[in-house]
Amino acid sequence: MATPSLLLTAVSHSGARPEVDVKTKLTVSLQGRALLQDPFLNKGTAFTPEERILFHLEGRLPPRVETLEEQVERMYAQYRENHTPLEKHLFLRSLQEYNRTLYYALLNRHVEEMLPIVYTPTVGEAIQTYSTNFREPRGLVVTRENYTRLDAMLEEYDDTELVVATDAEGILGIGDQGFGGIGISIGKLTLYTLVAGFDPARTLPVVFDVGTDNQDLLNDPYYLGIREPRLRGEAYFEILDAFVTAFKKRFPQAIIQWEDFSRGNAFAVLERYQDQLPSFNDDIQGTGATALAGLIAATDHGRTLTEQKFLILGAGAGGMGVAWQVYHGLVQLGLTSEEARSRIHLMGRNGLMMQGHPRVEPHHQFFAKTPEDIAGWTFSGTIPSMLETIQQAGITVLLGLSGAGGAFSEEIVQAVHANTSRPIIFALSNPTHLAEVTPELALQWTDGQAIVATGSPFPDVYHQDRIFKIGQGNNTFIFPGVGWGVQAAGATSIPSELFTAAAFALAAAVTPERLADGAVFPRIADLFQANQQVAIRVAEKAAAMGLATRTPEEMQQALLEPEWAPVYRTYNPVT
């Protein structure tokens, strides 16, 4: 299929998602209490007098009929009565299980304020206390007791188009969280609906509860997951194979996002299933594309990217994803494969990743250095340290994905600054306390010359009579748009080229004003606009690669208008 022309009309830059046409009337079979208890259909005090009669709701609601806008104001006032981030998170989760439309309308109105509450960094604390604060069941829980009955279990779900699935062993920077990891799947799907307009009724959070090695959870009297050590090896993949087989049979066009698996399983799961159905791993591919986008924006929209030398601290899923996307970006900009590889230095906890070293795993091999690569270097140990690598390789870009808070010390940052007048320092580890360096210190140690980005939100920095805005390298700028573009194209698979395309699209969405203020990512308030541009580029790339199954007209319509928006419809009863 030829690449379609996907020239869209200008979109609003107000921060809010624009209004879209939606189906204004729905035929509804539920009534009475059952209707009020369905979060996808419940309108609460917004049910009209006529609907209250038709659906047997008289006497069940306060007399006053409110608009959605009035409900949003009421909910925001209640939200502000909660004091801690966790309290606010739990309030919003309760609202989500009561009235999906009102929940998303509230988030859409206050996206910049509430994104850190529904997602990182607060979602980490919510996951750690998931069993203690459990209220409503949500999603699909797959265990070794029920995986043989998945065909029957999935029959209970209507038309599903998007899944976020986790085994919860590598949650953010907090590791194995067992059953509570379903909270990350819920949170990610919230962002798909908020940012890209996926219908929440057609999304499904999934957790593979295969046990936990977290002793605190095993000792917790409130823990709701399986109290056994984690399954490994063939028994583990037997469960995932069964899920993929049953899911593909039931929902052959749906997208699966693999989320927060351990480093070893993350690569194995991605490689095992990426050709079986449209699927990707956000920790690997989404993180890589986000970082590449920031680097493109930081280097005059990529014009000087090929001149940089990169050190990536952290060789887990995120670090490897960044390494591969930087590599693909450099090759796309004209470097040979070997030239691109030579500029990327992968740093483990004990030093530079070297071939033949015991800690170098198969997925590290491509970027692990050989003795010939570092011929002429001087270093004190058996392998070069981070400081020695910076000095010997002439590193100009530091990328932190280690989960080691404070790992970029003053000596490290200044060593990079010695190699370049404008060092690029990305401290991308989450949550906030795990950032490798704070923006304030990075700017202080480089006399305000560093180009800084972080994974978690940080406030503006005042330095030398100037205010620096700190861009947040949040994967939410990438994965909703990738999903949207794949869905719009009906793409049959999601190769790495789509993420490289997404990175260049995101970089192009960074305005000159943001760059002048020091930020290499858009404002959080502009998530919709950025993701729409990502979706367009991803759909175009999928079509160019022959992966699209939808016509150019169908693709353009899907890209112009998200399929769902938080507005109330008029209900008609089943006759």
Side-chain angles (χ1 to χ4, degrees):
M1 182 183 295
T3 303
S5 175
L6 299 175
L7 300 177
L8 302 188
T9 56
V11 293
S12 165
H13 287 276
S14 65
R17 198 170 66 189
E19 294 295 326
V20 299
D21 291 332
V22 295
K23 187 177 180 181
T24 57
K25 292 186 178 181
L26 292 177
T27 299
V28 175
S29 61
L30 297 181
Q31 56 183 289
R33 183 179 180 184
L35 180 55
L36 294 176
Q37 290 180 329
D38 188 317
F40 298 104
L41 295 173
N42 181 27
K43 296 194 285 188
T45 55
F47 280 107
T48 66
E50 294 78 15
E51 288 174 331
R52 296 181 188 207
I53 294 172
L54 286 171
F55 292 97
H56 303 283
L57 298 175
E58 283 191 294
R60 292 182 179 272
L61 294 165
R64 179 181 171 184
V65 176
E66 292 185 302
T67 65
L68 177 58
E69 290 70 27
E70 289 172 329
Q71 289 180 322
V72 167
E73 291 302 318
R74 182 188 304 278
M75 287 300 105
Y76 187 57
Q78 293 182 22
Y79 169 85
R80 296 191 60 156
E81 290 298 315
N82 295 275
H83 301 295
T84 70
L86 181 59
E87 288 173 349
K88 292 178 178 179
H89 178 94
L90 295 173
F91 171 82
L92 291 173
R93 281 284 294 114
S94 294
L95 177 60
Q96 187 178 22
E97 298 307 321
Y98 166 72
N99 183 329
R100 291 286 203 281
T101 301
L102 178 54
Y103 169 76
Y104 284 107
L106 177 64
L107 291 188
N108 194 41
R109 188 76 55 82
H110 302 283
V111 62
E112 207 158 8
E113 177 182 355
M114 293 182 177
L115 186 69
I117 300 298
V118 299
Y119 187 45
T120 182
T122 308
V123 70
E125 184 180 2
I127 289 169
Q128 288 178 300
T129 59
Y130 191 86
S131 291
T132 302
N133 294 311
F134 181 81
R135 287 172 170 80
E136 295 284 341
R138 179 84 188 279
L140 176 67
V141 185
V142 181
T143 70
R144 69 177 180 179
E145 284 74 28
N146 69 21
Y147 80 95
T148 58
R149 299 187 293 277
L150 273 163
D151 281 333
M153 290 160 58
L154 288 172
E155 285 180 2
E156 300 299 318
Y157 293 91
D158 295 327
D159 188 18
T160 297
E161 63 184 0
L162 176 65
V163 160
V164 174
T166 184
D167 74 353
E169 190 174 8
I171 298 290
L172 298 172
I174 56 178
D176 185 349
Q177 295 301 314
F179 171 71
I182 196 170
I184 199 70
S185 298
I186 294 169
K188 289 277 188 172
L189 289 173
T190 293
L191 301 180
Y192 272 107
T193 295
L194 176 67
V195 175
F198 278 77
D199 185 345
R202 301 180 67 193
T203 67
L204 178 63
V206 174
V207 63
F208 301 106
D209 188 349
V210 292
T212 179
D213 294 332
N214 184 333
Q215 196 60 45
D216 290 338
L217 294 179
L218 295 173
N219 294 337
D220 181 357
Y222 296 114
Y223 180 58
L224 293 170
I226 293 175
R227 296 173 182 270
E228 297 176 359
R230 279 187 171 269
L231 286 180
R232 304 288 179 187
E234 292 184 9
Y236 171 84
F237 279 105
E238 186 174 330
I239 292 174
L240 269 65
D241 286 347
F243 171 77
V244 169
T245 299
F247 185 82
K248 184 178 180 181
K249 185 191 309 181
R250 176 72 171 161
F251 307 113
Q253 303 300 319
I255 300 167
I256 297 181
Q257 175 177 317
W258 306 111
E259 184 70 26
D260 284 350
F261 288 75
S262 66
R263 180 177 67 195
N265 283 341
F267 292 101
V269 167
L270 179 61
E271 293 167 6
R272 193 177 184 104
Y273 304 119
Q274 64 181 346
D275 294 328
Q276 294 191 35
L277 73 177
S279 62
F280 69 94
N281 184 297
D282 182 52
D283 304 301
I284 300 172
Q285 295 160 293
T287 301
T290 302
L292 175 59
L295 292 173
I296 295 168
T299 55
D300 193 17
H301 291 287
R303 291 181 180 87
T304 63
L305 187 67
T306 56
E307 301 170 12
Q308 310 302 319
K309 293 185 178 179
F310 309 86
L311 185 148
I312 301 169
L313 178 63
M320 291 305 303
V322 171
W324 276 111
Q325 277 303 314
V326 170
Y327 167 83
H328 289 307
L330 293 174
V331 170
Q332 183 163 321
L333 290 169
L335 294 189
T336 67
S337 174
E338 180 53 33
E339 288 171 339
R341 188 196 72 82
S342 70
R343 290 182 170 274
I344 298 168
H345 301 76
L346 196 60
M347 187 68 51
R349 66 180 61 182
N350 295 316
L352 184 66
M353 300 295 278
M354 297 287 298
Q355 291 186 16
H357 193 272
R359 290 187 177 273
V360 174
E361 300 174 26
H363 53 268
H364 297 140
Q365 283 293 334
F366 184 79
F367 295 104
K369 299 302 183 186
T370 66
E372 291 74 23
D373 290 328
I374 62 170
W377 287 24
T378 57
F379 48 94
S380 57
T382 57
I383 56 176
S385 67
M386 180 160 56
L387 178 62
E388 289 167 336
T389 300
I390 291 168
Q391 294 169 333
Q392 299 293 316
I395 297 297
T396 60
V397 177
L398 279 183
L399 297 156
L401 298 109
S402 63
F408 293 162
S409 64
E410 181 175 4
E411 184 180 30
I412 291 295
V413 171
Q414 289 183 343
V416 178
H417 193 198
N419 296 328
T420 176
S421 61
R422 297 300 307 277
I424 299 173
I425 313 292
F426 286 8
L428 299 177
S429 290
N430 286 311
T432 308
H433 70 279
L434 298 181
E436 285 77 10
V437 68
T438 66
E440 183 177 14
L441 288 176
L443 288 163
Q444 177 184 319
W445 294 337
T446 60
D447 296 322
Q449 296 304 303
I451 301 172
V452 182
T454 57
S456 289
F458 276 87
D460 298 344
V461 174
Y462 183 77
H463 180 80
Q464 294 181 346
D465 299 322
R466 179 184 169 190
I467 296 176
F468 291 83
K469 295 188 180 299
I470 307 304
Q472 186 186 355
N474 193 317
N475 286 20
T476 311
F477 282 118
I478 288 287
F479 69 81
V482 170
W484 186 0
V486 167
Q487 181 200 46
T492 54
S493 64
I494 311 177
S496 62
E497 289 88 344
L498 300 192
F499 284 92
T500 307
F504 278 88
L506 176 56
V510 184
T511 65
E513 293 77 16
R514 287 286 286 173
L515 291 172
D517 287 336
V520 295
F521 291 100
R523 300 181 308 153
I524 293 297
D526 292 328
L527 277 170
F528 174 83
Q529 288 78 18
N531 272 277
Q532 188 178 47
Q533 297 307 311
V534 167
I536 293 168
R537 189 73 68 89
V538 166
E540 289 178 337
K541 186 66 175 179
M545 295 178 68
L547 302 174
T549 60
R550 302 180 74 180
T551 67
E553 294 73 22
E554 290 171 331
M555 292 169 63
Q556 182 159 350
Q557 184 62 33
L559 292 164
L560 276 167
E561 292 187 2
E563 66 178 358
W564 188 88
V567 296
Y568 286 139
R569 285 75 163 171
T570 299
Y571 294 168
N572 291 325
V574 173
T575 58

